Amino acid sequence: MPLSHTILSVSGIEKSFADNLVLRGISFSVDKGEVVAIIGPSGSGKSTLLRCVNQFETADSGTITVDGEALISGGVYAAPEVLRRIRLKIGLVFQNFNLFPHFSVLRNITEAPVSVLGIQKEEAEATALELLRKMGLQDKASAYPYQLSGGQQQRVSIARAMALSPELLFFDEPTSALDPELTGEVLRIIRGLAEEHMTMVIVTHEMEFAKNVADRVIFMDKGEIVEQGTPEDVLVNPKTERTRQFLERYNAG
């Protein structure tokens, strides 16, 4: 059995917006190849946590380490070149796709590899076309985002994140902007990535999906991690009353 390799370590992260303390000493880690689902009610800090790790928000204190390099340590951020190196190891798929509307599907996927990584256009396009094939969108390379369904746009945004060959992929409610019938096609893609041992952290409200795909589930409420464990532990046999209440309310809905 190979030794586990911790690719993400988060310790004591706090974040406030004005007087509102959104993250209260969050600590957890993710091993290479692991799929972690983060669940919890709206306003519990899930998206803010992802944004802090992905450098879209700055944490007030704590430590975040990605693949052995400190993004922030004891509340002090690393030098710009370290932050850039870490940023290239991480991909984030947004809930609202965030595709460039004036770029074709192909250019949406190749823009960052060419302009950020300096990859030759031909090589980037070959990679993009292979990713589109994997997403079941090989015939959409020349289409524009407005010509695609929401599910197709989300699959393009996953391909765009994968084009940078990240070591760690984050999803922020990847199906929340989709009609129910389009949700399945996106979840199938994510399930396929899990089968390929892609390291992923997924903020989701899809409990059945979390139960079937995640190695570990984290339940957050009011900026804190209330409970974490296997899907069976957290979703079927929760230990805390707060987790039970959330699941009962969710299942009732």
Side-chain angles (χ1 to χ4, degrees), residues 158 171 174 186-194 200 202 209 213:
I158 294 171
F171 293 85
V186 172
L187 295 182
R188 271 195 301 277
I189 294 295
I190 300 173
R191 187 177 286 113
L193 294 174
M200 295 185 284
I202 307 167
F209 173 74
V213 174

Side-chain angles (χ1 to χ4, degrees), residues 207-224:
M207 299 301 148
E208 200 60 32
F209 173 74
K211 192 186 298 182
N212 292 332
V213 174
D215 299 300
R216 185 154 44 98
V217 174
I218 293 174
F219 171 62
M220 285 181 64
D221 187 37
K222 296 178 181 173
E224 297 179 315

Side-chain angles (χ1 to χ4, degrees), residues 9-17 21-28 48-49 52-53 57-65 71-77 223:
S9 177
V10 175
S11 179
I13 287 296
E14 304 219 330
K15 172 66 179 177
S16 295
F17 294 105
L21 186 57
V22 179
L23 298 177
R24 304 166 182 264
I26 296 286
S27 299
F28 70 101
T48 301
L49 174 59
C52 285
V53 177
E57 299 284 357
T58 54
D60 299 329
S61 60
T63 298
I64 299 172
T65 303
L71 186 157
I72 175 174
S73 181
V76 179
Y77 273 84

Side-chain angles (χ1 to χ4, degrees), residues 2-249:
L3 289 172
S4 63
H5 166 58
T6 299
I7 194 164
L8 173 68
S9 177
V10 175
S11 179
I13 287 296
E14 304 219 330
K15 172 66 179 177
S16 295
F17 294 105
D19 295 332
N20 183 20
L21 186 57
V22 179
L23 298 177
R24 304 166 182 264
I26 296 286
S27 299
F28 70 101
S29 62
V30 179
D31 286 344
K32 190 168 181 60
E34 190 177 21
V35 178
V36 176
I38 302 179
I39 63 169
S42 296
S44 58
K46 307 183 300 293
S47 292
T48 301
L49 174 59
L50 257 58
R51 291 177 70 83
C52 285
V53 177
N54 283 274
Q55 303 180 43
F56 290 104
E57 299 284 357
T58 54
D60 299 329
S61 60
T63 298
I64 299 172
T65 303
V66 177
D67 202 21
E69 286 198 288
L71 186 157
I72 175 174
S73 181
V76 179
Y77 273 84
E81 63 270 19
V82 177
L83 297 181
R84 180 182 183 278
R85 197 159 57 233
I86 290 172
R87 192 179 290 120
L88 292 175
K89 294 181 179 182
I90 298 175
L92 174 61
V93 177
F94 300 88
Q95 53 184 298
N96 291 317
F97 324 136
N98 282 26
L99 297 174
F100 296 114
H102 56 296
F103 286 176
S104 68
V105 164
L106 188 65
R107 189 168 171 195
N108 261 287
I109 299 171
T110 60
E111 183 68 13
V114 172
S115 61
V116 177
L117 297 183
I119 291 172
Q120 291 294 317
K121 185 181 176 187
E122 294 74 17
E123 183 185 341
E125 288 185 348
T127 300
L129 291 170
E130 175 57 25
L131 285 167
L132 285 172
R133 188 196 61 74
K134 200 169 172 181
M135 301 292 156
L137 296 170
Q138 55 268 50
D139 58 337
K140 299 296 184 184
S142 59
Y144 284 81
Y146 76 90
Q147 297 172 309
L148 306 178
S149 71
Q152 289 170 333
Q153 288 187 60
Q154 190 60 295
R155 282 183 281 161
V156 172
S157 68
I158 294 171
R160 180 179 61 181
M162 292 293 292
L164 291 169
S165 300
E167 295 184 33
L168 181 57
L169 196 52
F170 290 85
F171 293 85
D172 186 7
E173 297 276 16
T175 60
S176 67
L178 302 179
D179 294 333
E181 64 267 25
L182 300 177
T183 294
E185 63 192 41
V186 172
L187 295 182
R188 271 195 301 277
I189 294 295
I190 300 173
R191 187 177 286 113
L193 294 174
E195 288 167 0
E196 295 172 9
H197 307 293
M198 181 73 206
T199 311
M200 295 185 284
V201 177
I202 307 167
V203 170
T204 184
H205 58 277
E206 301 283 346
M207 299 301 148
E208 200 60 32
F209 173 74
K211 192 186 298 182
N212 292 332
V213 174
D215 299 300
R216 185 154 44 98
V217 174
I218 293 174
F219 171 62
M220 285 181 64
D221 187 37
K222 296 178 181 173
E224 297 179 315
I225 291 177
V226 176
E227 187 169 345
Q228 63 176 306
T230 66
E232 178 81 11
D233 289 340
V234 177
L235 299 175
V236 181
N237 302 301
K239 292 181 175 60
T240 70
E241 182 59 30
R242 181 65 192 96
T243 311
R244 278 194 289 273
Q245 287 173 351
F246 170 75
L247 293 170
E248 280 172 13
R249 197 167 295 141

